Amino acid sequence: MASLVFLFFFLLPLILLELSSVMAAKTRHFKWEVEYIHWSPDGEESVVMGINGQFPGPTIRAKAGDTVAVHLTNKLHTEGVVIHWHGIRQIGTPWADGTAAISQCAINPGETFLYRFKVDKAGTYFYHGHYGMQRSAGLYGSLIVEVGEGEKEPFHYDGEFNLLLSDWWHKGSHEQEVDLSSNPLRWIGEPQTLLINGRGQYNCSLAAQFSKPPLPQCKLRGGEQYAPQILRVRPNKIYRLRVASTTALASLNLAIGGHKMVVVEADGNYVQPFSVQDMDIYSGESYSILFKTDQDPTKNYWISINVRGREPKTPQGLTLLNYLPNSASKFPTLPPPIAPLWNDYNHSKSFSNKIFALMGSPKPPPQHHRRIILLNTQNKIDGYTKWAINNVSLVLPTTPYLGSIRYGINNAFNAKPPPDNFPKDYDVLKQASNSNSTYGNGVYMLKFNTTIDIILQNANALAKDVSEIHPWHLHGHDFWVLGYGEGKFSEKDVKKFNLKNPPLRNTAAIFPFGWTALRFVTDNPGVWAFHCHIEPHLHMGMGVVFAEGVHLVKKIPKEALACGLTGKMFMSNMHN
């Protein structure tokens, strides 16, 4: 009896703590309408995809443990829509991942769909369209998850800012889709403008006196949609800057003139703090950095973003770090930070190799159960230019995988699984002797609760001596980045893997002519996309699909599957 009393009093604090955290969690409701609106992201009026009449979409703020409920109404007249909650793992709610033809049907014009999911982990995230090229049309916004009640961040700061980075074309996303699907390919070209929180300046510069080539000074008036959002700070304070990139194409380099940046979070996971003067950020990535306002308080300073990995034909994006009580109209006396050369890949790799998990973070399993090597190539199919993985260019089916696999619907997609590897004699450093590929929509069926290694292998594109940076994003999981390497991956490279403190991420880059090794555990029942986060590349086939434990998925909303063969199945059941 005494032992039972002791056990009760021992467990009581733990029970009360658990109950208090559950009681503190909230359900945060949002009602959104998606429609095309006239907007001037960079001073040139365009048609953009907005939410509730604004661009970018509203920022969601919640606490870890909260439930987010977004009632999304499609007000577009002629096309469907979905929204992916980038970095949210959707544990127990795979149908809310927001991937058309994978986790759900597109939401038809006039229809409303309820996205209801738990945000289980604090961090810097964002959301964006995942149907066609709607991210290129401007369908995106920020999603910030703060620590839960009673929790603390492992670092101190006095104030916080949020920067959502994107790129912008004056050519509409529908025309871009047609260009990318044409024979011969009509490449969309480089963006006209880089946007910071949806704001940029086309054909002029905030720092005109320093711009090369020369650009006229931007003439901004109050209240304009493209006027920069100024970061107002007090001297001798520490600020947290949350940065996420939802660019359609551009890899970027971020710097704050005269200020060191300390990286503390990557993709919603704490990292061992490290200091840099500038940082690369690829599409799909997010970071938190700390900076101290320890510079001359009588001056203001530039915050700049520049194109990396592609020859820049887009002027840098700028906004102002305004030291109060200085006027924001007082422009910095020094030029914006000089970016690294666009093709200085050693600089990029140096930054990536500095990212380690914070001490005490989860470590990867020591061994893998299955290894999948994904060769990334540019190809031709009947004269059309495509991207392919292990010589298969992804074309999504009309029936969402989640429903067709869960309910055993045959012929909804290619039953033959895609290959786990590519031919051993393939030379990744040279143009392929045969560039022809095939379309496919097969699925990698992964055994539940096993450890999977993914080797992303970059190769030469169609043109000689050309290989690009590709940021790859995994839905439904975080993965450990075990390492990067040059050339063709081989078994001897395994000894280079970092199993001690690799960072947990949801997006990682493969560099030109190199490989990146990832490890994750198949502990989240569902069907999950894994793809290049560059919008045109995904549109041209650069992605694969993973399925795991789908038989464990319960209570899929019928609205998520009311199309294709699953839609016919539900209609048939209703009539019977």
Side-chain angles (χ1 to χ4, degrees):
M1 183 69 181
S3 61
L4 287 174
V5 172
F6 172 79
L7 185 63
F8 173 78
F9 282 105
F10 176 77
L11 292 175
L12 184 60
L14 296 176
I15 295 169
L16 291 174
L17 182 64
E18 184 68 22
L19 284 172
S20 65
S21 64
V22 171
M23 292 171 64
K26 296 180 179 178
T27 299
R28 301 179 185 268
H29 291 274
F30 303 88
K31 286 192 174 182
W32 286 2
E33 294 182 346
V34 176
E35 60 187 331
Y36 285 108
I37 57 176
H38 289 105
W39 205 266
S40 298
D42 62 1
E44 297 280 310
E45 188 175 80
S46 304
V47 171
V48 308
M49 198 169 278
I51 298 175
N52 294 350
Q54 69 181 75
F55 165 79
T59 296
I60 290 178
R61 295 195 81 98
K63 290 184 181 293
D66 285 351
T67 295
V68 172
V70 179
H71 303 256
L72 185 79
T73 300
N74 180 0
K75 302 281 283 189
L76 307 172
H77 296 295
T78 59
E79 60 189 294
V81 69
V82 296
I83 289 186
H84 168 56
W85 315 93
H86 188 108
I88 305 301
R89 293 179 292 180
Q90 301 294 349
I91 297 172
T93 53
W95 54 84
D97 189 48
T99 47
I102 298 176
S103 64
Q104 70 169 113
C105 303
I107 307 163
N108 288 323
E111 292 183 350
T112 298
F113 183 83
L114 172 61
Y115 286 105
R116 186 182 179 91
F117 54 90
K118 187 175 181 179
V119 288
D120 64 310
K121 189 172 59 169
T124 303
Y125 309 103
F126 61 102
Y127 61 84
H128 59 81
H130 215 293
Y131 181 60
M133 290 181 63
Q134 292 180 344
R135 179 157 54 97
S136 294
L139 184 54
Y140 45 74
S142 294
L143 198 171
I144 307 300
V145 182
E146 300 168 352
V147 292
E149 293 292 338
E151 300 291 323
K152 288 186 177 180
E153 304 272 16
F155 42 80
H156 163 78
Y157 54 96
D158 302 302
E160 179 181 307
F161 299 101
N162 183 43
L163 296 185
L164 185 63
L165 311 180
S166 55
D167 40 14
W168 188 249
W169 283 257
H170 293 163
K171 179 183 287 188
S173 60
H174 293 137
E175 189 176 350
Q176 290 184 41
E177 284 188 43
V178 174
D179 287 350
L180 294 169
S181 303
S182 296
N183 183 7
L185 171 74
R186 297 188 183 186
W187 179 241
I188 61 172
E190 302 304 306
Q192 275 66 62
T193 318
L194 301 179
L195 305 181
I196 301 175
N197 289 341
R199 297 161 180 255
Q201 293 75 46
Y202 173 66
N203 213 21
C204 69
S205 174
L206 298 175
Q209 68 271 36
F210 303 113
S211 64
K212 293 180 182 179
L215 289 169
Q217 183 73 41
C218 297
K219 293 181 172 61
L220 299 169
R221 299 180 298 277
E224 286 175 324
Q225 293 170 340
Y226 62 97
Q229 285 189 347
I230 294 167
L231 279 60
R232 293 179 169 85
V233 297
R234 296 283 180 185
N236 296 312
K237 301 288 185 183
I238 296 174
Y239 290 90
R240 179 182 190 167
L241 187 61
R242 297 181 182 266
V243 189
S245 175
T246 185
T247 55
L249 175 66
S251 301
L252 300 173
N253 182 268
L254 170 74
I256 306 173
H259 294 70
K260 285 186 179 180
M261 303 184 293
V262 178
V263 181
V264 294
E265 177 218 340
D267 294 352
N269 296 285
Y270 298 125
V271 300
Q272 200 64 35
F274 65 97
S275 178
V276 290
Q277 295 289 350
D278 62 82
M279 58 179 284
D280 283 355
I281 179 168
Y282 305 105
S283 178
E285 292 188 326
S286 63
Y287 292 95
S288 282
I289 62 156
L290 304 179
F291 67 94
K292 188 173 183 180
T293 49
D294 56 1
Q295 299 302 299
D296 184 345
T298 65
K299 296 180 179 179
N300 292 330
Y301 301 86
W302 293 115
I303 298 174
S304 66
I305 52 174
N306 290 271
V307 171
R308 299 279 288 128
R310 309 181 68 85
E311 187 172 359
K313 296 175 183 175
T314 309
Q316 65 186 163
L318 294 171
T319 191
L320 202 66
L321 186 68
N322 173 209
Y323 271 61
L324 297 173
N326 297 329
S327 168
S329 61
K330 181 179 181 180
F331 276 33
T333 56
L334 295 175
I338 298 174
L341 288 175
W342 69 271
N343 56 356
D344 183 355
Y345 297 118
N346 287 332
H347 188 89
S348 305
K349 295 170 187 176
S350 173
F351 175 76
S352 294
N353 284 319
K354 290 177 181 175
I355 304 174
F356 299 104
L358 185 66
M359 192 177 300
S361 299
K363 291 186 177 182
Q367 301 293 333
H368 68 277
H369 297 102
R370 180 179 177 184
R371 178 188 290 161
I372 301 173
I373 302 178
L374 301 177
L375 176 69
N376 190 97
T377 55
Q378 195 177 37
N379 297 77
K380 291 283 188 178
I381 303 179
D382 299 328
Y384 292 88
T385 302
K386 299 293 176 182
W387 290 94
I389 303 302
N390 291 352
N391 213 40
V392 179
S393 186
L394 181 64
V395 177
L396 295 173
T398 55
T399 302
Y401 291 106
L402 183 63
S404 59
I405 296 174
R406 177 65 182 83
Y407 297 109
I409 297 175
N410 297 322
N411 304 318
F413 58 90
N414 189 340
K416 183 182 178 181
D420 277 21
N421 207 334
F422 60 94
K424 289 183 179 180
D425 61 352
Y426 190 96
D427 190 343
V428 301
L429 303 179
K430 294 182 179 178
Q431 293 168 286
S433 56
N434 180 2
S435 63
N436 291 324
S437 181
T438 58
Y439 296 115
N441 55 27
V443 176
Y444 287 95
M445 297 292 186
L446 308 179
K447 189 175 180 181
F448 190 58
N449 267 335
T450 59
T451 300
I452 307 297
D453 275 11
I454 302 294
I455 309 298
L456 293 168
Q457 176 67 68
N458 217 340
N460 198 100
L462 285 172
K464 185 180 179 182
D465 298 328
V466 172
S467 186
E468 301 179 19
I469 291 177
H470 299 286
W472 275 73
H473 170 59
L474 177 59
H475 293 229
H477 305 77
D478 286 341
F479 49 67
W480 289 275
V481 183
L482 302 184
Y484 305 89
E486 308 292 331
K488 189 175 182 178
F489 175 82
S490 69
E491 194 63 37
K492 68 179 186 297
D493 292 315
V494 173
K495 64 179 182 293
K496 303 175 187 175
F497 286 179
N498 173 18
L499 299 179
K500 179 183 176 184
N501 56 357
L504 268 172
R505 305 294 301 266
N506 61 57
T507 304
I510 41 171
F511 296 104
F513 299 109
W515 56 262
T516 299
L518 315 174
R519 179 169 291 179
F520 73 99
V521 177
T522 58
D523 56 2
N524 192 6
V527 184
W528 309 106
F530 182 45
H531 61 90
C532 178
H533 209 261
I534 293 175
E535 188 88 316
H537 292 179
L538 174 58
H539 182 74
M540 296 165 69
M542 195 189 296
V544 297
V545 177
F546 296 144
E548 64 198 64
V550 180
H551 63 286
L552 300 172
V553 176
K554 308 295 184 185
K555 299 178 181 178
I556 304 174
K558 290 184 179 180
E559 308 83 62
L561 303 177
C563 62
L565 296 175
T566 46
K568 292 179 182 178
M569 179 191 74
F570 286 132
M571 290 297 291
S572 175
N573 289 341
M574 287 175 63
H575 290 304
N576 291 334

